[in-house]
Amino acid sequence: MTDKLLVLNDLRKNFGAIEALKGISFSIGKGEVVALLGDNGAGKSTLVKIISGGQQPTSGSMLFEGAEYQAKTPAEAKAAGIETVYQDLSLCTNVDVVGNFFMGREICRKIAGIPFLNERAMEDITSKALASAGTRIPSMRTKVEHLSGGQRQAIELNRFVHWGGKLVLLDEPFAALGVEQTRRGLDMIRHVADQGIGVIIITHIMQQAFQVADRIVVIRHGVVAGDVESSKTSPDAVIQMITGQSLSGAGPEGR
Ligand SMILES: Nc1ncnc2c1ncn2[C@@H]1O[C@H](COP(=O)(O)OP(=O)(O)O)[C@@H](O)[C@H]1O
Ligand SMILES: [Mg+2]
């Protein structure tokens, strides 16, 4: 099975009469960053939801680490090590950084038989994990509501890595971020992938795709219109895959 992390095999998804996905097949390796590109309505979000358990495919199959994989809920996907990281949505804003990092996984120690949260140990682990990823947050006791979008994203990504995540899905992760925060986010994606984690990132910004991705997969009208190593293609070629039109002005190819 070499180093394939996730293999998608002829995934189809219908919404009533709408065929959102018409047979999607591609794979992603460990430590690989795949940028998923395509026009509005191409099927990108639907595909990501199917991988992360938010929706079920109408037909088709997936292999994760060589075994049949089909998550019925996001919780099931998460337990397998697959998670969509949405900016903000999965953090409790009125809880501090440590509390969010350990949410549901708190370390307790017993004093005279009574369990107490081991706050010192949790704070240590959180600050080490964030520092090793190059994230600067002044205090681990800051409530998340006072942090920037980029810092929140960093907490979520590092939490995912720390708790054994294997494949992370990002749907337009930098849409609400500024230039500097986006640059840091892209660096962090590389850092995550360098630890052997697979990353699928949806972006409509071509430059980001070329900056961060090993491979670019283009979805058009529910099918894979291109699957190329980013070092072996060009933005113009990818635009052509997205639109189905050659830049020389020739008409749309038949599909
Ligand atoms: N829950 C849904 N019910 C009906 N149609 C849907 C639903 N979700 C997506 N679609 C349709 O499926 C197609 C693909 O949508 P989507 O995956 O959101 O595309 P993208 O993320 O590439 O913009 C579109 O035609 C969209 O209208
Ligand atoms: Mg979408």
Side-chain angles (χ1 to χ4, degrees):
M1 247 353 277
T2 64
D3 60 347
K4 286 282 173 272
L5 187 58
L6 180 74
V7 179
L8 309 180
N9 185 22
D10 199 25
L11 288 179
R12 292 165 190 273
K13 178 69 177 177
N14 301 339
F15 296 105
I18 298 169
E19 293 179 276
L21 302 180
K22 301 176 198 165
I24 298 280
S25 303
F26 68 89
S27 61
I28 173 167
K30 288 181 179 158
E32 191 174 35
V33 180
V34 169
L36 207 53
L37 276 78
D39 222 338
N40 280 341
K44 307 179 297 295
S45 295
T46 302
L47 180 59
V48 161
K49 283 176 198 157
I50 287 173
I51 295 170
S52 61
Q55 282 180 358
Q56 303 305 306
T58 304
S59 67
S61 62
M62 291 181 271
L63 284 180
F64 183 57
E65 296 187 307
E68 197 78 21
Y69 164 80
Q70 187 167 347
K72 289 184 195 67
T73 61
E76 246 182 70
K78 191 172 171 176
I82 298 180
E83 209 174 324
T84 301
V85 168
Y86 295 102
Q87 191 184 318
D88 291 4
L89 286 182
S90 75
L91 297 179
C92 294
T93 52
N94 61 343
V95 172
D96 68 19
V97 179
V98 176
N100 271 288
F101 202 84
F102 274 86
M103 193 76 58
R105 291 161 166 140
E106 290 82 357
I107 298 176
C108 287
R109 62 181 166 153
K110 287 191 172 171
I111 300 170
I114 301 161
F116 284 88
L117 283 184
N118 194 339
E119 294 286 353
R120 257 317 276 280
M122 294 196 298
E123 190 171 322
D124 254 32
I125 289 168
T126 305
S127 79
K128 281 197 184 110
L130 290 172
S132 77
T135 307
R136 277 175 299 242
I137 295 173
S139 165
M140 294 301 115
R141 292 300 171 189
T142 308
K143 285 187 181 174
V144 162
E145 64 196 355
H146 302 303
L147 298 179
S148 71
Q151 288 170 322
R152 294 177 195 204
Q153 209 163 57
I155 294 168
E156 294 197 83
L157 267 176
N158 285 296
R159 181 174 66 177
F160 167 83
V161 173
H162 185 80
W163 298 109
K166 293 171 181 173
L167 174 68
V168 64
L169 307 158
L170 304 160
D171 195 344
E172 301 278 2
F174 308 122
L177 300 189
V179 174
E180 177 57 18
Q181 289 194 337
T182 299
R183 192 190 59 77
R184 287 206 192 139
L186 291 168
D187 284 351
M188 186 158 313
I189 288 175
R190 280 307 341 167
H191 173 80
V192 166
D194 287 347
Q195 295 172 72
I197 289 162
V199 182
I200 297 179
I201 173 176
I202 295 180
T203 176
H204 66 275
I205 301 172
M206 191 68 63
Q207 195 190 354
Q208 284 178 6
F210 276 89
Q211 229 173 315
V212 77
D214 301 298
R215 256 172 58 226
I216 291 175
V217 172
V218 177
I219 310 285
R220 187 170 76 240
H221 302 320
V223 300
V224 175
D227 182 346
V228 285
E229 284 177 46
S230 40
S231 61
K232 292 184 179 159
T233 188
S234 68
D236 281 353
V238 174
I239 288 171
Q240 207 167 315
M241 295 171 204
I242 292 171
T243 61
Q245 298 182 352
S246 78
L247 294 175
S248 58
E253 70 188 52
R255 189 177 283 285

